[in-house]
Amino acid sequence: MNTLIEPKIITGNSNPPLAKAISSRMSMLRGKPVSLIDARVERFNDGEIFVEVYENVRGEDMFILQSTSNPANDNLMELLIMADALRRSSADRITAVIPYFGYARQDRRTKARTPISAKLVANLLTQAGVERILTVDLHAAQIQGFFDIPVDNLYAAPVFALDVMHHFKDMSDVTVISPDVGGVARARELAKRIGADLAIVDKRRNNPGEIAEMTVIGDVTDRRCIIVDDICDTAGTLCKAAETLIEQGAKEVHSYITHGVLSGPAIERIEKSVMKQLVITDSIQISPEAAACSKIRTVPLAPMLAQATLNIANGTSVSSLFDEDTLGPLYQGTY
C-alpha cells in the first residue's frame, strides 16, 4: 500500500486562525514546513462562491480545513466547491477536516414531513469528492453511519481532562454535570478521566425553546460543578442549569463546551450568569465579543488536529488521540 507522507492543507473562510495554527503545529512535528496551499476563496457580487487553487495539487494528499459554522450555508458551499476544485485538479486523496460539523442536530426525523439534513450533508460531501472526514465531537455519533467513507470522530474530553486537572488540581470536591439526560455518556467520560463524581440536570419543556423546570439528579451540595456539553448555542439551557446547581448548594459552576456557537444573546447571558467560567475550543472561530468576555476562555484544538492529520497522512492510528497520555506531550506549554 502506498503511504502518503506529504499532506497539504487548504482552508476556506470559516476559521483561518485554526488553519494557520494547525499548519504551524504540523511543521513543528514534522521538522519541515507545512504551509497552506495558495488559493483564493471569494464571492461574486451576487453571492456565488468561487475557488481558484494557484498551486499544483496533482497526486497530492489534500486536507480541507473548514468548519460549517455560522454562516453555515456559505461555509458548507465553500467546502463543497473546494473539494470539487481539488478533485478536478487530480488530487490523490481529499480529506475534509471539519472541526464543527454543522447540521448535526438534524440527525433524525422528530416530526412528520421533516428532513434528515445531516444525511443530506453527508451525501453532498461524498459526491463533491471528499474521501475521508475528520471531525470533533459529533452531536450524534450515529452520523458516522450516514457516510460510506471513513469518518474519524475525535473527542474533546481528553483535552478537557488535561485542562481540568491543570486548573482544578484537587478533584475531591468536583462533580461533572450533564445538562440533560442525552449527554450523560459525554459527561461520564470526562468524570471517569478526572476521577470525579457525576450528576445530571433533567430539563422539561412546555414548548420548544422554553424550559419549564429543571431538576438535579445527584447531590451537588458544596461541590465545584463542571457542566459538560458539545454545543453552546444561545446559552439559555446552560445558564439556567448553572442557576439550578447554585440553588441546590453548589459552591461554583464551570462549563466545558466543545463548540461555542454562541449565537443571539449567548454572550450577554454568559456574562450575567452565575457561572464562574465557560471553556470552549476553537473549533469555531471566536468572535471579538466572545474574546472580550471575561468569563469565556478557549483551549486550542490545533495540537490534536495537527497530529490526527499527520496520522491519517501516514496511515497510522487516530484512536491513539483518544487518550490524554498521548495528548499530554502535545499540549505542554499551551496552558
Side-chain angles (χ1 to χ4, degrees), residues 49-82:
I49 295 167
F50 177 74
V51 174
E52 184 177 5
V53 181
Y54 293 124
E55 298 182 28
N56 178 25
V57 297
R58 183 180 296 272
E60 299 287 358
D61 189 16
M62 297 301 305
F63 292 81
I64 306 173
L65 186 97
Q66 180 83 337
S67 281
T68 50
S69 50
N70 186 31
N73 298 329
D74 285 356
N75 288 330
L76 176 58
M77 280 304 298
E78 281 188 10
L79 174 56
L80 296 172
I81 294 172
M82 283 189 287

Side-chain angles (χ1 to χ4, degrees), residues 36-149:
L36 298 176
I37 287 290
D38 188 15
R40 64 175 173 139
V41 182
E42 59 184 35
R43 283 161 179 74
F44 293 138
N45 291 333
D46 64 352
E48 284 186 9
I49 295 167
F50 177 74
V51 174
E52 184 177 5
V53 181
Y54 293 124
E55 298 182 28
N56 178 25
V57 297
R58 183 180 296 272
E60 299 287 358
D61 189 16
M62 297 301 305
F63 292 81
I64 306 173
L65 186 97
Q66 180 83 337
S67 281
T68 50
S69 50
N70 186 31
N73 298 329
D74 285 356
N75 288 330
L76 176 58
M77 280 304 298
E78 281 188 10
L79 174 56
L80 296 172
I81 294 172
M82 283 189 287
D84 186 72
L86 294 173
R87 182 184 62 173
R88 295 177 188 276
S89 301
S90 301
D92 187 79
R93 181 176 65 175
I94 302 169
T95 300
V97 182
I98 312 173
Y100 172 67
F101 189 95
Y103 285 100
R105 285 175 281 185
Q106 299 183 45
D107 63 303
R108 62 193 184 279
R109 296 185 68 190
T110 56
K111 298 179 181 178
R113 297 175 296 281
T114 57
I116 305 179
S117 301
K119 172 58 176 171
L120 173 62
V121 171
N123 291 343
L124 290 170
L125 288 167
T126 304
Q127 289 300 311
V130 173
E131 298 169 66
R132 192 179 193 103
I133 302 291
L134 174 63
T135 188
V136 180
D137 270 353
L138 278 172
H139 181 67
Q142 65 265 24
I143 292 174
Q144 295 175 83
F146 293 173
F147 291 89
D148 292 324
I149 57 176

Side-chain angles (χ1 to χ4, degrees), residues 147-214:
F147 291 89
D148 292 324
I149 57 176
V151 177
D152 293 304
N153 181 32
L154 297 177
Y155 300 101
V159 180
F160 285 162
L162 291 170
D163 190 88
V164 169
M165 288 186 287
H166 177 79
H167 287 93
F168 283 71
K169 309 298 183 187
D170 182 15
M171 298 294 156
S172 62
D173 64 343
V174 173
T175 298
V176 176
I177 308 293
S178 173
D180 53 49
V181 176
V184 170
R186 185 180 295 105
R188 184 187 294 118
E189 180 66 21
L190 180 61
K192 181 180 177 181
R193 289 177 183 274
I194 65 175
D197 293 337
L198 177 68
I200 303 167
V201 175
D202 180 35
K203 62 185 176 186
R204 299 178 185 178
R205 300 180 188 271
N206 289 335
N207 299 301
E210 177 185 322
I211 301 171
E213 181 185 358
M214 279 192 165

Side-chain angles (χ1 to χ4, degrees), residues 318-333:
V318 173
S319 62
S320 62
L321 298 174
F322 297 169
D323 189 348
E324 57 263 27
D325 290 338
T326 303
L327 288 175
L330 299 177
Y331 274 83
Q332 286 179 358

